[in-house]
């Protein structure tokens, strides 16, 4: 296991849903900015849900998850929430331009 994978596993096991979802959103934002410098991504955590929304590659997007769902993704695998978000973005027509080390980690774990 790579060091980053160990750190992510620890985070998934120990961070509260809101903090973990915020970390994942920052990782997704950083990746989308590498693909499109005009990317705008916002995220809000509320008492019971997590809202991720923005604009990239000429498309608007939004995702709404309950914090219970975030907990389920956290429990499934360290990068399961990231993978879910990227799959949802792909359904909205937002492309993964190329595989990066981060995306390889996201899609290599099931």
């Amino acid at each position: 296991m790579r060091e980053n994978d160990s750190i992510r596993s620890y985070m998934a096991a120990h961070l509260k849903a809101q903090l973990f979802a915020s970390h994942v959103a920052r990782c997704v934002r950083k990746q989308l900015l590498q693909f499109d410098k005009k990317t705008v991504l916002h995220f809000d955590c509320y008492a019971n849900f997590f809202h991720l929304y923005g604009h990239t590659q000429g498309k608007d997007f939004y995702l709404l998850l309950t914090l219970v769902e975030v907990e389920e993704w956290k429990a499934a695998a360290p990068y399961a929430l990231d993978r879910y978000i990227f799959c949802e973005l792909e359904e909205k027509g937002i492309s993964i331009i190329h595989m990066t080390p981060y995306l390889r980690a996201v899609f290599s774990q099931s």
Side-chain angles (χ1 to χ4, degrees):
M1 183 182 286
R2 293 184 341 220
E3 181 179 351
N4 286 345
D5 294 343
S6 298
I7 293 168
R8 179 56 85 93
S9 294
Y10 182 85
M11 293 172 76
H14 296 288
L15 288 181
K16 293 183 186 259
Q18 288 179 323
L19 289 174
F20 185 75
S22 296
H23 171 74
V24 170
R26 286 188 298 274
C27 292
V28 170
R29 176 192 291 148
K30 183 177 177 181
Q31 184 60 73
L32 291 175
L33 278 166
Q34 286 181 1
F35 294 156
D36 177 0
K37 298 291 184 210
K38 295 181 182 179
T39 293
V40 176
L41 184 144
H42 302 282
F43 56 93
D44 301 310
C45 284
Y46 298 98
N48 297 317
F49 64 92
F50 176 72
H51 187 205
L52 181 77
Y53 56 99
H55 183 87
T56 191
Q57 298 177 16
K59 296 176 177 62
D60 293 325
F61 63 89
Y62 72 92
L63 297 168
L64 188 64
L65 294 129
T66 66
L67 291 181
V68 171
E69 290 172 310
V70 170
E71 284 291 347
E72 291 170 357
W73 287 116
K74 276 180 24 154
Y79 288 97
L81 180 58
D82 311 59
R83 187 169 40 255
Y84 170 76
I85 291 170
F86 279 106
C87 288
E88 289 294 310
L89 292 174
E90 280 190 308
E91 285 184 16
K92 297 174 186 325
I94 297 166
S95 302
I96 291 176
I97 307 297
H98 57 83
M99 292 304 281
T100 63
Y102 165 65
L103 289 173
R104 278 193 289 280
V106 167
F107 287 102
S108 69
Q109 297 182 6
S110 302

